[in-house]
Structures are given as structure tokens and as C-alpha cells.
Short mmCIF file of all heavy atoms in Angstrom, two decimals:
data_model
loop_
_atom_site.label_atom_id
_atom_site.label_comp_id
_atom_site.label_asym_id
_atom_site.label_seq_id
_atom_site.Cartn_x
_atom_site.Cartn_y
_atom_site.Cartn_z
N PRO X 1 -12.19 -19.62 -5.93
CA PRO X 1 -12.80 -19.76 -4.61
C PRO X 1 -12.49 -18.63 -3.64
O PRO X 1 -11.49 -17.93 -3.77
CB PRO X 1 -12.17 -21.07 -4.09
CG PRO X 1 -10.83 -21.13 -4.75
CD PRO X 1 -11.04 -20.51 -6.10
N ALA X 2 -13.39 -18.49 -2.68
CA ALA X 2 -13.10 -17.74 -1.47
C ALA X 2 -12.93 -18.77 -0.36
O ALA X 2 -13.80 -19.62 -0.15
CB ALA X 2 -14.21 -16.77 -1.14
N VAL X 3 -11.80 -18.74 0.31
CA VAL X 3 -11.43 -19.74 1.30
C VAL X 3 -11.30 -19.05 2.65
O VAL X 3 -10.81 -17.92 2.73
CB VAL X 3 -10.08 -20.42 0.92
CG1 VAL X 3 -9.73 -21.51 1.91
CG2 VAL X 3 -10.13 -20.96 -0.50
N LEU X 4 -11.75 -19.72 3.70
CA LEU X 4 -11.67 -19.14 5.03
C LEU X 4 -10.81 -20.00 5.94
O LEU X 4 -10.92 -21.23 5.92
CB LEU X 4 -13.07 -18.99 5.62
CG LEU X 4 -13.13 -18.35 7.02
CD1 LEU X 4 -14.25 -17.34 7.09
CD2 LEU X 4 -13.32 -19.38 8.11
N ILE X 5 -9.99 -19.35 6.74
CA ILE X 5 -9.20 -20.03 7.77
C ILE X 5 -9.60 -19.49 9.13
O ILE X 5 -9.58 -18.27 9.35
CB ILE X 5 -7.68 -19.84 7.56
CG1 ILE X 5 -7.22 -20.62 6.32
CG2 ILE X 5 -6.91 -20.32 8.78
CD1 ILE X 5 -5.74 -20.47 6.02
N THR X 6 -9.96 -20.38 10.03
CA THR X 6 -10.23 -19.97 11.40
C THR X 6 -9.61 -20.98 12.35
O THR X 6 -9.14 -22.04 11.94
CB THR X 6 -11.75 -19.84 11.67
OG1 THR X 6 -11.94 -19.27 12.97
CG2 THR X 6 -12.46 -21.19 11.60
N GLY X 7 -9.60 -20.64 13.62
CA GLY X 7 -9.07 -21.54 14.64
C GLY X 7 -10.19 -22.37 15.24
O GLY X 7 -11.30 -21.87 15.45
N ALA X 8 -9.90 -23.63 15.54
CA ALA X 8 -10.92 -24.52 16.06
C ALA X 8 -10.99 -24.51 17.58
O ALA X 8 -11.97 -25.01 18.15
CB ALA X 8 -10.66 -25.96 15.58
N GLN X 9 -9.99 -23.93 18.24
CA GLN X 9 -9.93 -23.98 19.70
C GLN X 9 -10.04 -22.56 20.27
O GLN X 9 -10.98 -21.84 19.92
CB GLN X 9 -8.64 -24.70 20.13
CG GLN X 9 -8.60 -26.17 19.61
CD GLN X 9 -7.20 -26.74 19.52
OE1 GLN X 9 -6.26 -26.06 19.13
NE2 GLN X 9 -7.05 -28.01 19.82
N TRP X 10 -9.11 -22.18 21.13
CA TRP X 10 -9.15 -20.84 21.74
C TRP X 10 -8.08 -19.90 21.17
O TRP X 10 -7.67 -18.96 21.82
CB TRP X 10 -8.97 -20.95 23.26
CG TRP X 10 -10.21 -21.37 23.99
CD1 TRP X 10 -11.29 -20.58 24.30
CD2 TRP X 10 -10.51 -22.65 24.53
NE1 TRP X 10 -12.22 -21.30 25.01
CE2 TRP X 10 -11.77 -22.58 25.16
CE3 TRP X 10 -9.82 -23.88 24.56
CZ2 TRP X 10 -12.36 -23.67 25.79
CZ3 TRP X 10 -10.42 -24.96 25.16
CH2 TRP X 10 -11.67 -24.85 25.78
N GLY X 11 -7.64 -20.16 19.98
CA GLY X 11 -6.63 -19.32 19.36
C GLY X 11 -5.24 -19.91 19.47
O GLY X 11 -5.02 -20.96 20.09
N ASP X 12 -4.28 -19.27 18.82
CA ASP X 12 -2.88 -19.70 18.83
C ASP X 12 -2.68 -21.07 18.20
O ASP X 12 -1.70 -21.76 18.50
CB ASP X 12 -2.30 -19.71 20.26
CG ASP X 12 -2.51 -18.38 20.97
OD1 ASP X 12 -2.13 -17.35 20.41
OD2 ASP X 12 -3.07 -18.38 22.08
N GLU X 13 -3.58 -21.46 17.29
CA GLU X 13 -3.45 -22.78 16.67
C GLU X 13 -2.44 -22.80 15.52
O GLU X 13 -1.99 -23.86 15.11
CB GLU X 13 -4.81 -23.27 16.13
CG GLU X 13 -5.91 -23.38 17.16
CD GLU X 13 -6.75 -22.12 17.23
OE1 GLU X 13 -6.32 -21.08 16.65
OE2 GLU X 13 -7.83 -22.15 17.82
N GLY X 14 -2.09 -21.64 15.00
CA GLY X 14 -1.18 -21.57 13.86
C GLY X 14 -1.87 -21.16 12.58
O GLY X 14 -1.54 -21.64 11.51
N LYS X 15 -2.86 -20.23 12.69
CA LYS X 15 -3.61 -19.81 11.51
C LYS X 15 -2.72 -19.11 10.49
O LYS X 15 -2.90 -19.29 9.28
CB LYS X 15 -4.76 -18.90 11.93
CG LYS X 15 -5.81 -19.58 12.78
CD LYS X 15 -6.95 -18.68 13.14
CE LYS X 15 -6.56 -17.57 14.07
NZ LYS X 15 -6.12 -18.05 15.42
N GLY X 16 -1.78 -18.32 10.98
CA GLY X 16 -0.85 -17.66 10.06
C GLY X 16 -0.05 -18.66 9.26
O GLY X 16 0.24 -18.48 8.08
N ARG X 17 0.30 -19.74 9.92
CA ARG X 17 1.03 -20.82 9.25
C ARG X 17 0.18 -21.45 8.15
O ARG X 17 0.67 -21.74 7.06
CB ARG X 17 1.38 -21.87 10.31
CG ARG X 17 1.99 -23.12 9.82
CD ARG X 17 3.42 -22.90 9.37
NE ARG X 17 3.93 -24.11 8.77
CZ ARG X 17 4.33 -25.18 9.44
NH1 ARG X 17 4.33 -25.14 10.75
NH2 ARG X 17 4.78 -26.23 8.81
N ALA X 18 -1.09 -21.68 8.42
CA ALA X 18 -1.98 -22.26 7.41
C ALA X 18 -2.15 -21.32 6.22
O ALA X 18 -2.18 -21.75 5.07
CB ALA X 18 -3.34 -22.57 8.03
N THR X 19 -2.26 -20.03 6.51
CA THR X 19 -2.33 -19.03 5.45
C THR X 19 -1.08 -19.08 4.59
O THR X 19 -1.14 -19.07 3.36
CB THR X 19 -2.49 -17.62 6.05
OG1 THR X 19 -3.58 -17.60 6.95
CG2 THR X 19 -2.70 -16.59 4.95
N ASP X 20 0.04 -19.16 5.28
CA ASP X 20 1.32 -19.21 4.58
C ASP X 20 1.42 -20.44 3.70
O ASP X 20 2.05 -20.43 2.64
CB ASP X 20 2.45 -19.18 5.62
CG ASP X 20 3.80 -18.98 5.00
OD1 ASP X 20 3.98 -17.97 4.29
OD2 ASP X 20 4.67 -19.82 5.20
N LEU X 21 0.80 -21.54 4.13
CA LEU X 21 0.85 -22.80 3.40
C LEU X 21 0.24 -22.66 2.01
O LEU X 21 0.67 -23.30 1.05
CB LEU X 21 0.09 -23.87 4.20
CG LEU X 21 0.14 -25.31 3.70
CD1 LEU X 21 1.56 -25.84 3.73
CD2 LEU X 21 -0.76 -26.19 4.57
N LEU X 22 -0.77 -21.80 1.89
CA LEU X 22 -1.42 -21.60 0.59
C LEU X 22 -0.59 -20.71 -0.33
O LEU X 22 -0.73 -20.76 -1.54
CB LEU X 22 -2.81 -21.02 0.80
CG LEU X 22 -3.78 -21.94 1.55
CD1 LEU X 22 -5.04 -21.20 1.94
CD2 LEU X 22 -4.12 -23.16 0.73
N GLY X 23 0.25 -19.87 0.29
CA GLY X 23 1.27 -19.11 -0.41
C GLY X 23 0.81 -18.38 -1.65
O GLY X 23 -0.16 -17.63 -1.66
N SER X 24 1.50 -18.62 -2.74
CA SER X 24 1.32 -17.87 -3.97
C SER X 24 0.02 -18.20 -4.70
O SER X 24 -0.31 -17.57 -5.70
CB SER X 24 2.51 -18.12 -4.91
OG SER X 24 2.61 -19.51 -5.19
N ARG X 25 -0.74 -19.18 -4.22
CA ARG X 25 -1.99 -19.56 -4.87
C ARG X 25 -3.14 -18.64 -4.47
O ARG X 25 -4.24 -18.75 -4.96
CB ARG X 25 -2.34 -21.00 -4.52
CG ARG X 25 -1.26 -22.00 -4.91
CD ARG X 25 -1.55 -23.37 -4.36
NE ARG X 25 -2.71 -23.96 -4.98
CZ ARG X 25 -3.31 -25.07 -4.53
NH1 ARG X 25 -2.87 -25.65 -3.43
NH2 ARG X 25 -4.36 -25.56 -5.16
N VAL X 26 -2.84 -17.71 -3.58
CA VAL X 26 -3.85 -16.79 -3.08
C VAL X 26 -3.55 -15.39 -3.58
O VAL X 26 -2.40 -14.97 -3.64
CB VAL X 26 -3.89 -16.83 -1.54
CG1 VAL X 26 -4.78 -15.74 -0.99
CG2 VAL X 26 -4.35 -18.19 -1.04
N ASP X 27 -4.58 -14.66 -3.97
CA ASP X 27 -4.40 -13.30 -4.49
C ASP X 27 -4.67 -12.23 -3.44
O ASP X 27 -4.05 -11.17 -3.44
CB ASP X 27 -5.32 -13.08 -5.70
CG ASP X 27 -5.03 -14.07 -6.83
OD1 ASP X 27 -3.90 -14.04 -7.34
OD2 ASP X 27 -5.92 -14.88 -7.17
N TYR X 28 -5.63 -12.50 -2.56
CA TYR X 28 -6.01 -11.55 -1.51
C TYR X 28 -6.09 -12.30 -0.17
O TYR X 28 -6.61 -13.41 -0.11
CB TYR X 28 -7.39 -10.92 -1.79
CG TYR X 28 -7.41 -9.99 -2.98
CD1 TYR X 28 -7.40 -10.49 -4.28
CD2 TYR X 28 -7.47 -8.61 -2.81
CE1 TYR X 28 -7.42 -9.65 -5.37
CE2 TYR X 28 -7.49 -7.76 -3.90
CZ TYR X 28 -7.47 -8.28 -5.17
OH TYR X 28 -7.48 -7.43 -6.26
N VAL X 29 -5.58 -11.69 0.88
CA VAL X 29 -5.74 -12.23 2.23
C VAL X 29 -6.45 -11.17 3.06
O VAL X 29 -5.99 -10.03 3.17
CB VAL X 29 -4.39 -12.60 2.88
CG1 VAL X 29 -4.61 -13.03 4.33
CG2 VAL X 29 -3.72 -13.73 2.12
N VAL X 30 -7.58 -11.56 3.65
CA VAL X 30 -8.48 -10.61 4.29
C VAL X 30 -8.60 -10.92 5.78
O VAL X 30 -8.94 -12.04 6.17
CB VAL X 30 -9.89 -10.67 3.66
CG1 VAL X 30 -10.80 -9.61 4.29
CG2 VAL X 30 -9.80 -10.51 2.15
#
């Protein structure tokens, strides 16, 4: 899959944290 993470509000929601949650299961972060 190609998976997308975005913020639902005005930013600062913790997107980096969500990215980190996927950890080693991801090959590329764009």
C-alpha cells in the first residue's frame, strides 16, 4: 500500500507521532 497521514484540524495534531507508530513496516516516508 501507499498510505497517507494528514492532520484533521489546523496542524500540530501529532502527525509525526502517527508516522512513528507505523515504524519499521514502512519503507519510504514522503
Side-chain angles (χ1 to χ4, degrees):
V3 183
L4 182 137
I5 290 179
T6 188
Q9 298 158 320
W10 282 282
D12 307 307
E13 301 94 347
K15 295 182 292 295
R17 173 73 186 283
T19 308
D20 190 56
L21 186 63
L22 296 169
S24 59
R25 302 171 67 191
V26 172
D27 300 298
Y28 292 75
V29 174
V30 184

